[in-house]
Amino acid sequence: MKSFVTAQLRILFTVVIVLTCLLQTNAQAAKTEKYDIIYILTKDLERVLDYKEELEKVFDAAVRKKLKIVGRGDDYALLYDGNDSAGTVTKTLIKHAELLDKAGFDEPYATKEQNFHSLYNVSYGMGPNLEPLKKRYEKIYSCLGEDVKNDLFIEKTDFGNYALIYRRRGDKASTTRVAKKHAKILRSKRIKTSITTENNNLVVYGESSLIDDAGPEEPIICQLSVDTELTTVPEKIVARSKIKTTIPEARVVSSSNNSKFERSIEKYIDNLRRKGRISRDESTGWMVYDLETNKSVIDINADKEFQAASMIKPFIALAFFHQVEAGKLKYGPKSRRKMEAMIQRSNNAATNWLMRQAGGPRNCEAILKKYYAHIFTKTEIREYIPSGGRTYLNSAPPSDYVRFLKALWNNELPRDKEIRRLMALPGRDRLYHGTSIPRGTLVYNKTGSTGHLIGDMGILVPKTKKGGRFPYVIVGIIERQSKASDYGQWAHSRSRVIRAVSTLVYEELKKEHQLL
């Protein structure tokens, strides 16, 4: 009760400050001036992107659409672009402050519209049909450099069209220069470029989507203009089935010896504890699994049960698809939309809908334990996702995630290609984004976040020096006993730890497997 009262007082204090500022303006100005709500202002764009990803789990679709990342000098801000009057923004601020306080975020604040500028992307065309843009995507992907490929996406616009863009998030002048360079490269393909504002559109296709596509039979060669600064190396798009993997069995093969590399990761985590970057009441779990040799590289707390948070959602997808294959459910346009919302945007309402279709949390668990007992040894699905996303009862050990991902990669699950597609839909993962892992690495993942836990589990597929791909599984989890008081800052700092460990893992695997 005391914490609830304190929270309400903080919200009231915030509103009083805003009202005081607004009332200081004269009456005429108050009628014409417009206001926005700011959630975070920092020089770190990566932090803003992470913060936006977390806030989108709290707000509904109408609010999410108005979330906007803007720039001003060296600063970036995440704001609610309400363009509202003083009275309207105050009401909106109270609602948002209450929602964010329940989720553990800092209080937002209202401000008069300032000289922030929009961020811009390069556009390569738009149309009502997705398939033609996929073909254009392949041409552009083969022509442009590595720095572009990772941020080349097809988005769905508000009006039902699809847009092919390079999500640069730059200022207008520099983005215009990049668009002109790309126009010279793509001239022989009759592809024109323009610039467009970052509109927070839903991404429906990206680099990882290519791994289950056959792609062009031969690399596409682009004729470059002599005055073009960019140089490219055309690349053939690789089908997932062509990537060498040898996984003869479903069980996880663990090394009997605690490897030198595993000890180095343990030492790294211990050092973070000494520095206070991981608290004493926080436990961690780490697993890395080589999908080529079918061997575990790192097993740290592999069988310890942690909160599952949203990492349980691909398991829900599997239970649903099992029922589809059994003829008890249908996978149509509505359930597809729900699946995409659950996996890509971690939508809790969509998750609960899919769980209900599959018979509820306990039945989902029963399906997994009965038909996939070799994968799910300790996973527990006990609850629907509660209001506010505070799901603490569902749990799983890192080893269950590894077995699931290994079976997923090896085509051992119903609708495995569709599950891979869903997990490849672009988002802010904690295994690759924000790391120094080379561009062009494909990612299939699902993050998880609560006031107690930050985690990510997925398959990374980097390139090798010989032109192939090397797939491996990585799982990173940090869980604390007490709820984080400043969730936003805590989530960001622990996400950075997972990214740092993922980078260390890549650098070690690079030596053995000749990665780029």
Side-chain angles (χ1 to χ4, degrees):
M1 183 66 184
K2 181 178 179 181
S3 61
F4 174 79
V5 173
T6 302
Q8 295 300 308
L9 287 175
R10 285 203 307 269
I11 295 172
L12 180 61
F13 181 68
T14 300
V15 173
V16 169
I17 292 176
V18 172
L19 288 174
T20 301
C21 293
L22 299 181
L23 290 173
Q24 287 176 351
T25 61
N26 58 58
Q28 184 62 35
K31 293 180 180 179
T32 59
E33 290 178 334
K34 300 298 182 181
Y35 297 83
D36 296 322
I37 297 173
I38 291 182
Y39 306 99
I40 186 172
L41 177 64
T42 175
K43 298 183 184 300
D44 187 348
L45 178 58
E46 291 297 319
R47 185 179 177 188
V48 175
L49 293 170
D50 280 344
Y51 207 77
K52 173 176 171 289
E53 184 94 349
E54 293 299 319
L55 258 61
E56 286 181 333
K57 300 172 185 177
V58 177
F59 294 128
D60 60 24
V63 174
R64 287 198 302 268
K65 192 57 194 173
K66 288 192 174 185
L67 295 180
K68 188 174 182 180
I69 298 175
V70 294
R72 183 182 62 193
D74 294 333
D75 292 326
Y76 295 93
L78 175 63
L79 56 80
Y80 174 80
D81 190 20
N83 194 30
D84 292 327
S85 65
T88 301
V89 80
T90 301
K91 295 177 183 178
T92 304
L93 179 64
I94 293 173
K95 293 179 181 178
H96 289 195
E98 288 177 343
L99 285 172
L100 295 177
D101 182 74
K102 289 179 181 178
F105 288 94
D106 291 340
E107 288 89 352
Y109 59 93
T111 179
K112 287 188 288 187
E113 289 187 330
Q114 302 181 32
N115 57 335
F116 288 111
H117 63 77
S118 296
L119 302 184
Y120 290 84
N121 300 319
V122 179
S123 173
Y124 308 96
M126 179 185 297
N129 299 316
L130 182 59
E131 292 306 317
L133 283 180
K134 284 185 179 180
K135 294 180 180 178
R136 184 178 298 184
Y137 182 105
E138 291 177 357
K139 293 180 181 180
I140 296 172
Y141 185 91
S142 295
C143 289
L144 299 182
E146 295 298 326
D147 288 343
V148 176
K149 292 177 180 179
N150 183 60
D151 294 313
L152 190 65
F153 299 123
I154 299 177
E155 301 179 327
K156 189 171 185 179
T157 70
D158 285 343
F159 302 102
N161 285 319
Y162 296 95
L164 176 50
I165 60 119
Y166 164 38
R167 183 170 276 175
R168 188 171 183 274
R169 291 188 172 112
D171 60 74
K172 188 174 184 178
S174 65
T175 305
T176 299
R177 290 194 295 270
V178 171
K180 289 179 178 179
K181 290 178 182 178
H182 289 188
K184 293 178 181 179
I185 297 172
L186 299 170
R187 185 177 297 162
S188 64
K189 301 301 167 190
R190 298 181 180 179
I191 297 175
K192 297 181 179 180
T193 68
S194 61
I195 66 170
T196 183
T197 56
E198 167 62 52
N199 292 316
N200 197 29
N201 289 328
L202 175 66
V203 173
V204 297
Y205 196 84
E207 185 175 47
S208 289
S209 307
L210 296 173
I211 204 165
D212 278 304
D213 293 344
E217 292 184 0
E218 298 295 336
I220 298 172
I221 306 298
C222 293
Q223 299 296 323
L224 305 186
S225 303
V226 294
D227 59 344
T228 299
E229 297 178 15
L230 298 179
T231 58
T232 63
V233 179
E235 174 194 292
K236 185 173 181 178
I237 297 170
V238 183
R240 194 205 70 84
S241 59
K242 296 179 182 179
I243 297 175
K244 179 184 177 183
T245 55
T246 53
I247 309 175
E249 54 191 33
R251 68 187 181 90
V252 171
V253 180
S254 300
S255 173
S256 59
N257 297 319
N258 192 18
S259 69
K260 180 180 178 182
F261 180 45
E262 184 175 293
R263 291 195 299 271
S264 72
I265 296 298
E266 290 177 325
K267 184 177 180 180
Y268 177 76
I269 298 300
D270 289 341
N271 188 44
L272 293 180
R273 291 188 191 281
R274 286 193 295 271
K275 292 180 178 180
R277 292 179 60 188
I278 296 180
S279 304
R280 291 182 178 180
D281 76 335
E282 292 177 272
S283 56
T284 69
W286 309 94
M287 283 196 74
V288 177
Y289 196 87
D290 182 336
L291 288 171
E292 278 200 345
T293 63
N294 196 35
K295 290 182 180 179
S296 184
V297 179
I298 293 176
D299 289 304
I300 300 175
N301 288 331
D303 294 319
K304 177 179 172 59
E305 294 180 58
F306 293 90
Q307 285 182 11
S310 291
M311 291 185 290
I312 203 74
K313 292 173 181 177
F315 296 177
I316 302 299
L318 173 57
F320 182 92
F321 284 129
H322 179 89
Q323 297 291 68
V324 171
E325 291 298 297
K328 297 180 180 179
L329 293 174
K330 291 184 179 181
Y331 189 51
K334 182 176 182 179
S335 53
R336 180 186 170 100
R337 289 195 301 272
K338 297 289 187 181
M339 278 286 183
E340 291 173 348
M342 176 176 73
I343 302 297
Q344 184 182 24
R345 300 189 298 282
S346 211
N347 184 279
N348 294 327
T351 304
N352 290 339
W353 185 89
L354 289 162
M355 271 200 279
R356 282 194 295 272
Q357 301 305 306
R362 285 298 192 182
N363 197 53
C364 287
E365 179 184 328
I367 292 170
L368 300 183
K369 293 291 180 67
K370 180 177 180 179
Y371 298 99
Y372 310 96
H374 58 292
I375 296 174
F376 302 100
T377 61
K378 294 184 177 180
T379 294
E380 294 185 354
I381 306 177
R382 296 186 175 184
E383 66 175 348
Y384 290 102
I385 311 299
S387 176
R390 291 169 287 184
T391 174
Y392 304 138
L393 299 182
N394 301 326
S395 63
S399 56
D400 279 13
Y401 296 122
V402 170
R403 280 184 286 266
F404 166 78
L405 292 167
K406 188 160 70 72
L408 178 66
W409 182 259
N410 202 36
N411 295 316
E412 297 173 351
L413 304 176
R415 303 293 176 102
D416 41 52
K417 183 175 180 178
E418 176 65 1
I419 297 175
R420 285 196 301 272
R421 183 191 73 84
L422 293 164
M423 294 181 71
L425 290 171
R428 293 288 299 172
D429 66 85
R430 295 169 179 139
L431 304 176
Y432 171 60
H433 280 95
T435 74
S436 59
I437 297 174
R439 296 295 180 96
T441 297
L442 308 180
V443 182
Y444 304 80
N445 84 296
K446 186 67 194 78
T447 60
S449 310
T450 71
H452 293 263
L453 179 138
I454 295 295
D456 202 347
M457 60 96 164
I459 302 170
L460 296 189
V461 195
K463 297 176 182 178
T464 66
K465 293 180 180 179
K466 294 182 179 181
R469 294 267 184 186
F470 170 73
Y472 65 94
V473 171
I474 179 169
V475 178
I477 298 172
I478 302 174
E479 183 181 59
R480 58 183 293 150
Q481 295 178 11
S482 58
K483 187 176 179 180
S485 57
D486 184 354
Y487 171 74
Q489 176 59 35
W490 178 75
H492 177 68
S493 65
R494 274 41 177 190
S495 296
R496 290 180 64 182
V497 171
I498 293 175
R499 288 175 173 134
V501 172
S502 184
T503 300
L504 292 173
V505 168
Y506 177 85
E507 292 298 327
E508 183 65 23
L509 294 176
K510 177 180 178 180
K511 301 173 188 176
E512 183 178 351
H513 299 280
Q514 298 296 300
L515 307 182
L516 290 180

